[in-house]
Structures are given as structure tokens and as C-alpha cells.
Amino acid sequence: MTRIFSGIKPTGHLTLGNYLGALRRWVEVDQHQSDALFSVVDLHALTMEHDPARVRRLSRQAATLMLAAGLDPERCTVFVQSHVDEHARLSYLLECTATDGELRRMIQYKEKGTQARATGQSVRVSLLTYPVLMAADILAYGADEVPVGDDQAQHVELTRDLAVRFNQRYGHTFTVPKATHPPVAARVMDLQDPTSKMGKSHESGAGIVYLLDDADMVRKKIMRAVTDSGREVEYDRESRPGIANLLEILASCAGGNPNELAGVYESYGALKKDTAEAVVELLRPVRERHAELAADPGHVDDVLRKGAERARGMARPRVDAAYRAIGLLPA
């Protein structure tokens, strides 16, 4: 069976973009067709200035929402990254395999480094090296596929390069994975800035639908979504990004094709109303299940503990083999 690994970074409250671009596919497809591991990648949340208590709180919330969305611990492995030491162990070996130049070419490093400097912050070394930790997340488990959004494809390519390089230098140790992309709404855009991704760590939440927003808040945000000049409802990502974003969200929630849906609507208002109701109904069972799980934190803790044990058992033999291959004495 194909093995996949994917994770969610607890840097903010999970959004509709996280659900449509990743979580729903994990639930409906990946956990049934693959040997799947899904992780709250909390170590990645430490690359920028952060509040430790908030990281812990968001990590628990993310894990709870992953279960609320429908991940079944009997079918897949759900765990927290920092609970499995092999991620950090392997990351250093891969740092010794990567080059400074290829890490500095990473688009997210350039963007986030620029943002940090603009606010007077220092750029942490971990921001430069975190794609290597991401590679360790994947390679430790021998993952064949990595379901990611378009913005992470470059990191999967780095992972492939590091796996090939390590195998060539030290003997075959790692599976070389490939990225897979959901066909629709892989990158849901901000409702107030449809040229930017709907990111969970944005300062303003006006254009972001969070999974735990109540129904009235969801409707309010979508009805206030930025649209484009003109009155015709057309699906054109380049010239009408606002309407295209709404059509893609509606297509992902209710089924259908964005191009075909565009022909159904004669006004922006009608499109917004139907999109809002589709999102409300899509997220209703997730919010209700989250409330049940949040009331029983012991259950969530037990799932994460067992998931970490299972993940550790998968990763340790491969990471130990990498330590031997690169020249380190066995303990």
C-alpha cells in the first residue's frame, strides 16, 4: 500500500483553505487508500517569533480538528511531530546533505525573511533550515506520496533531491517521494485579497473563514468578499480573481465545475449567498464534532500518544539505518 505523510503547522486557527485544500482529501481519500500519517508539525511553528502557550493551544486545537474532520485513528496515524524524536534526529543528517545555496533559494524563506526584517525581527536559522526538517518528516517514514498545496511543491522537490543525494553518497536508504495535488481548491484565496492565499496566520481575519467560525460569522465574511469590476459572473483566475475564488469554493463545497457554475448566476450577490450557505453546511458537522472532542481532552491525548508510538516504530529503523550509513557509531 502507498504510504503518505502530511502535516499541519499550528501557527494559527485552521481555515476553510486548510479543509478544502488538505483535510477533506485526507479524510475522504487518503486514509482509505493509503498507509497514511498525519501530523501536527509543531516544530515548524518555532521558526518565527511565537508565544509558547499559544503554540501548545493551537497544536491541541489542530489535532482535535483533524479528528473532528473525520480522521480515524484506526485507519491512519495521527500524532504530534515533537512527540517523535526521529524527526529532529534525521533533520541534522539532512542538513549535512543539503547546501546553503539551495536552502536560500526557497521562496518561503525569501518571503518570510523579508517580512521578519521589515518588522525589525531577526531571521532565525531555523527559518532557513525548516525545509530540511520537512524533508526529514517525509523521509523518516519512507513516504511514497506527499499531498501538498502548490506553495509547498518546492519543498517536496528539495526532499526528493536530498533523498537522491543521500542514497548516492551513502547507499540506498530513503524512498524518493512525489508531491500530489488535489484537483480543485488546492489553494483557497483570501476573501479580502483574492490574490493571496487564505493563510491561518494573517493578522486580519476579515478575509479568512476559520473552521470554528459560527454560521453567522461565515455568512458575514463571504457576503463581504471582495469582487471584481463588471457585473457578469465569469470564471477567470487572472482578470476576475475574486469571483473565481468564490466559484472554486462553491464548486469544492457543493460539487460541480467552476466554469459551469459561473453560467448559473446572474449576480454577485446570489453567488455569495449560495457560497456562504454551502460553506456553513460543510463546516457544521466539523464544528459539532470538535465541541464533543474538546469536552473530552483525555481521548484526544490518548489518540496522540498511541499515534506517536506507532509513528516512532515506523521511523526509528530507517533513521537508525541513516545514522549507520552516514558513518556514525551505533549506540
Side-chain angles (χ1 to χ4, degrees), residues 12-294:
H13 301 286
L14 298 190
T15 72
L16 176 66
N18 296 127
Y19 185 79
L20 292 179
L23 267 174
R24 187 168 67 170
R25 179 179 174 85
W26 296 357
V27 169
E28 295 179 354
V29 179
D30 293 333
Q31 70 172 340
H32 300 284
Q33 297 182 359
S34 310
D35 179 10
L37 298 102
F38 302 113
S39 180
V40 179
V41 287
D42 52 345
L43 294 175
H44 291 294
L46 311 184
T47 60
M48 303 289 284
E49 193 68 32
H50 65 276
D51 173 16
R54 185 170 186 266
V55 172
R56 284 191 290 269
R57 184 171 65 253
L58 290 176
S59 295
R60 174 175 290 280
Q61 184 186 92
T64 305
L65 278 167
M66 288 161 69
L67 298 174
L71 288 183
D72 181 355
E74 298 299 318
R75 292 183 176 273
C76 63
T77 303
V78 181
F79 67 104
V80 175
Q81 177 193 31
S82 64
H83 294 176
V84 181
D85 294 344
E86 278 63 33
H87 292 256
R89 288 180 62 209
L90 181 55
S91 183
Y92 181 72
L93 299 194
L94 296 179
E95 285 182 18
C96 296
T97 308
T99 67
D100 173 78
E102 62 191 345
L103 295 184
R104 291 187 185 280
R105 287 194 294 271
M106 295 291 107
I107 294 171
Q108 289 204 10
Y109 170 71
K110 294 179 180 179
E111 292 177 348
K112 292 183 178 180
T114 299
Q115 292 170 5
R117 294 185 190 96
T119 58
Q121 298 180 33
S122 298
V123 179
R124 301 184 181 192
V125 173
S126 57
L127 183 62
L128 177 66
T129 60
Y130 101 89
V132 179
L133 176 58
M134 180 177 172
D137 298 338
I138 298 164
L139 298 180
Y141 298 101
D144 304 289
E145 297 181 356
V146 189
V148 292
D150 295 339
D151 58 327
Q152 293 292 332
Q154 187 184 34
H155 294 157
V156 179
E157 285 305 308
L158 175 67
T159 301
R160 290 169 55 84
D161 291 343
L162 294 179
V164 170
R165 190 177 305 155
F166 192 100
N167 289 345
Q168 289 175 342
R169 289 179 179 175
Y170 308 115
H172 185 78
T173 306
F174 298 119
T175 299
V176 180
K178 67 177 181 179
T180 58
H181 305 280
V184 179
R187 200 173 191 191
V188 178
M189 312 308 277
D190 191 290
L191 296 170
Q192 292 299 313
D193 180 11
T195 62
S196 299
K197 178 184 173 184
M198 185 181 283
K200 57 183 177 294
S201 55
H202 285 188
E203 290 185 9
S204 171
I208 304 170
V209 174
Y210 296 106
L211 297 189
L212 295 180
D213 280 345
D214 62 33
D216 288 341
M217 181 59 70
V218 171
R219 294 187 182 100
K220 180 179 178 181
K221 289 180 177 179
I222 294 178
M223 294 305 294
R224 292 182 177 179
V226 168
T227 50
D228 314 294
S229 59
R231 295 186 177 183
E232 292 185 5
V233 178
E234 296 179 347
Y235 180 65
D236 187 328
R237 260 290 178 195
E238 296 299 321
S239 64
R240 297 197 171 187
I243 292 301
N245 190 37
L246 291 172
L247 287 167
E248 287 194 358
I249 291 171
L250 179 59
S252 294
C253 291
N257 179 282
N259 269 308
E260 294 175 358
L261 286 172
V264 174
Y265 294 95
E266 297 182 355
S267 71
Y268 292 172
L271 171 61
K272 287 182 175 181
K273 182 178 179 181
D274 282 0
T275 302
E277 292 307 316
V279 172
V280 166
E281 290 308 310
L282 181 76
L283 298 185
R284 188 188 306 279
V286 177
R287 290 201 317 275
E288 291 174 352
R289 179 59 178 153
H290 175 270
E292 296 173 0
L293 289 168

